[in-house]
Amino acid sequence: AQSVTQPDIHITVSEGASLELRCNYSYGATPYLFWYVQSPGQGLQLLLKYFSGDTLVQGIKGFEAEFKRSQSSFNLRKPSVHWSDAAEYFCAVGVPGKLIFGQGTTLQVKP
Amino acid sequence: EAGVVQSPRYKIIEKKQPVAFWCNPISGHNTLYWYLQNLGQGPELLIRYENEEAVDDSQLPKDRFSAERLKGVDSTLKIQPAELGDSAVYLCASSLGDFTGELFFGEGSRLTVL
């Protein structure tokens, strides 16, 4: 069955520090992978997506993610976190007709 | 260009009462989704429409939930009667239907059932 696991429910980093959010997926075919961000009281906004080609993908707001087929992972990274990055982050795998989301990682940014 | 519009943003009702949520997708998007987001969880698909046809409603609890998308544009999701466990955020999303993966989400309707 298709699934997405985000091992870290909550992460706290200091402003200016680097960030890595983990995502592992389970899917039999070549995956379409996504990262979405959700600020409090808001809908989900697409950060980046991977369909094929270069395994390192760039997104909005300075985020990037790397697809590693051997590890079934699609980790999200940012070199320097800003206070405005505090939000909930969802990894998702695209299967025909829908997205399957992980449970999310809440990012807290310390000043 | 306007995004996905949902209403109401917040709704508080007592159990056993009915409730309805409305969604207007981005103009030209023929695929519309309703997702359920429980507290601390990722969204889960309830129903997907291609134009006015519900092509995937396998996760919609049909004993109390219903949805419609008349004329293939805006959509309504209804719960009757509501139960305590229905307290959640109901997200609507739309896409062009070619499944590039970019779903555009509304801000959601937060339901509290007392």
Side-chain angles (χ1 to χ4, degrees), chain A residues 37-43 84-88 106-107, chain B residues 9-10 107 110:
Chain A
V37 61
Q38 185 178 35
S39 298
Q42 302 298 311
S84 61
D85 293 324
E88 189 149 22
T106 301
L107 173 64
Chain B
R9 289 291 314 279
Y10 304 92
E107 293 182 317
R110 180 177 296 276

Side-chain angles (χ1 to χ4, degrees), chain A residues 4-99:
Chain A
V4 175
T5 301
Q6 295 181 244
D8 305 304
I9 296 174
H10 191 108
I11 284 183
T12 300
V13 300
S14 298
E15 190 168 15
S18 63
L19 170 70
E20 182 170 28
L21 302 182
R22 297 184 291 165
C23 172
N24 293 97
Y25 67 90
S26 174
Y27 186 54
T30 300
Y32 292 175
L33 296 163
F34 309 85
W35 275 99
Y36 280 80
V37 61
Q38 185 178 35
S39 298
Q42 302 298 311
L44 281 74
Q45 180 185 22
L46 181 68
L47 283 176
L48 48 78
K49 59 188 178 185
Y50 170 79
F51 282 176
S52 64
D54 193 346
T55 56
L56 184 64
V57 294
Q58 302 297 319
I60 62 171
K61 304 184 181 185
F63 286 92
E64 66 179 26
E66 185 172 14
F67 169 57
K68 293 185 178 180
R69 185 185 300 274
S70 62
Q71 299 178 19
S72 298
S73 69
F74 189 56
N75 294 348
L76 182 71
R77 300 194 295 248
K78 186 170 186 179
S80 178
V81 170
H82 187 263
W83 63 266
S84 61
D85 293 324
E88 189 149 22
Y89 292 80
F90 293 95
C91 181
V93 62
V95 303
K98 64 182 178 182
L99 296 181

Side-chain angles (χ1 to χ4, degrees), chain B residues 13-26:
Chain B
I13 61 173
E14 295 191 346
K15 63 181 180 182
K16 301 185 181 180
Q17 294 299 305
V19 64
F21 305 111
W22 176 82
C23 172
N24 185 250
I26 292 173

